[in-house]
Amino acid sequence: MTGESAKHPEIVGIVGSGTIACGLAAVAAGHGPVMLCARSEGSAQRASERLDGAVEVTCDSERLGDATFVVEAIVEDQVAKGQLFARLHRLLAPEAILATTTSSLSVTMLASLSGRPDRFVALHVFNPVVKMELVELAFPEGSAPATRARALALCRALGKTTVEVPDRPGFVVNRLLFPYLFAAVELLEETGLAPEAVDTCMRLGAAHPLGPLALLDLVGLDVAAAIGEAIGAPVPARIQALMDEGALGRKSGRGFHRY
């Protein structure tokens, strides 16, 4: 995995144990040293099972001290991320880069909380990470040229295509995607169509790999609602009603569809 030069490969650390964190770890494992830091023993065990032992999984954040490029992939909450960045800043070497997988929070604000704004980047990957080629990269003002170069080199090593995007909530993909997804929910309510009918129309009529309602289920309705609020897209009442029932999509076994 190429870092600042081929002689100095990045040692990648990933903080989190959810779908994005595990997907990123699985991709990184094929290209160089990587470790994943989970919050609890239970989370670590589940992550280890998903990754089939291909990645070092730990609950000991001190192990991240050896990493040169650490990617945070936890809940979309500025306070939680800021607290994590404060701990990581103390652990990491001065030249280590901190990255976040956010797509809805201000990169400039998160960078200011990181303690190393010149070595900070938003590295927004897409689910499923092992299949989706795009990475949106967003840099705060004052980002060091070496940070850009190393972020680009890392993404290339992972086989990803990068697009540098402005620091605006939702970047490009989510800013355009979620109003469309929410429009599909509103159409569902207005017409009484079955979710399967809406999804089939968009899969076969627009050549989308997933219909909009199935995609919302994949993303997670709670995550979708948080993104909608962040980008100023009104969240349909149907999504909130499902969330109130504990129906969050695939991860809970039920959303607009059953799994």
Side-chain angles (χ1 to χ4, degrees):
M1 185 181 298
T2 303
E4 292 186 80
S5 74
K7 296 181 179 180
H8 300 285
E10 302 284 10
I11 301 173
V12 177
I14 299 167
V15 183
S17 57
T19 301
I20 293 296
C22 288
L24 187 55
V27 171
H31 299 273
V34 57
M35 65 187 78
L36 183 146
C37 184
R39 182 174 59 179
S40 67
E41 292 292 344
S43 296
Q45 179 62 37
R46 289 189 292 273
S48 293
E49 292 169 358
R50 293 173 76 171
L51 293 165
D52 291 328
V55 169
E56 178 188 348
V57 180
T58 181
C59 291
D60 181 9
S61 60
E62 297 288 330
R63 291 286 296 117
L64 294 170
D66 294 330
T68 62
F69 201 114
V70 174
V71 184
E72 164 272 310
I74 66 170
V75 65
E76 284 286 85
D77 180 271
Q78 182 173 299
V79 173
K81 290 180 188 293
Q83 292 172 346
L84 173 61
F85 293 152
R87 294 197 300 273
L88 291 174
H89 181 57
R90 292 192 295 269
L91 284 173
L92 300 178
E95 66 274 10
I97 289 176
L98 266 178
T100 175
T101 57
T102 192
S103 70
S104 60
L105 300 175
S106 165
V107 180
T108 298
M109 177 57 70
L110 293 178
S112 72
L113 300 174
S114 73
R116 52 185 74 206
D118 60 327
R119 292 188 178 270
F120 190 87
V121 57
L123 192 149
H124 181 220
V125 294
F126 294 83
N127 187 30
V129 184
V130 295
K131 294 182 179 180
M132 299 294 281
E133 182 180 353
L134 178 66
V135 176
E136 291 180 316
L137 292 177
F139 297 92
E141 290 186 13
S143 180
T147 301
R148 276 184 163 82
R150 288 172 61 188
L152 288 166
L154 177 62
C155 290
R156 283 197 299 268
L158 299 182
K160 302 299 184 183
T161 296
T162 60
V163 176
E164 188 170 334
V165 296
D167 181 13
R168 297 181 63 185
F171 298 151
V172 173
V173 173
N174 285 351
R175 195 173 188 86
L176 298 178
L177 176 63
F178 278 85
Y180 152 68
L181 298 180
F182 293 161
V185 179
E186 297 292 358
L187 181 66
L188 191 75
E189 293 293 277
E190 293 168 5
T191 62
L193 280 168
E196 293 81 359
V198 174
D199 282 348
T200 298
C201 285
M202 295 310 296
R203 282 192 300 104
L204 302 184
H208 290 187
L210 278 180
L213 305 172
L215 182 53
L216 281 167
D217 282 349
L218 177 63
V219 170
L221 301 190
D222 53 339
V223 175
I227 292 173
E229 291 168 2
I231 67 173
V235 179
R238 176 75 171 271
I239 289 181
Q240 186 59 58
L242 287 168
M243 290 168 55
D244 292 343
E245 296 170 9
L248 304 179
R250 287 194 185 191
K251 61 187 174 185
S252 67
R254 181 170 72 90
F256 288 98
H257 301 278
R258 290 187 178 274
Y259 301 90

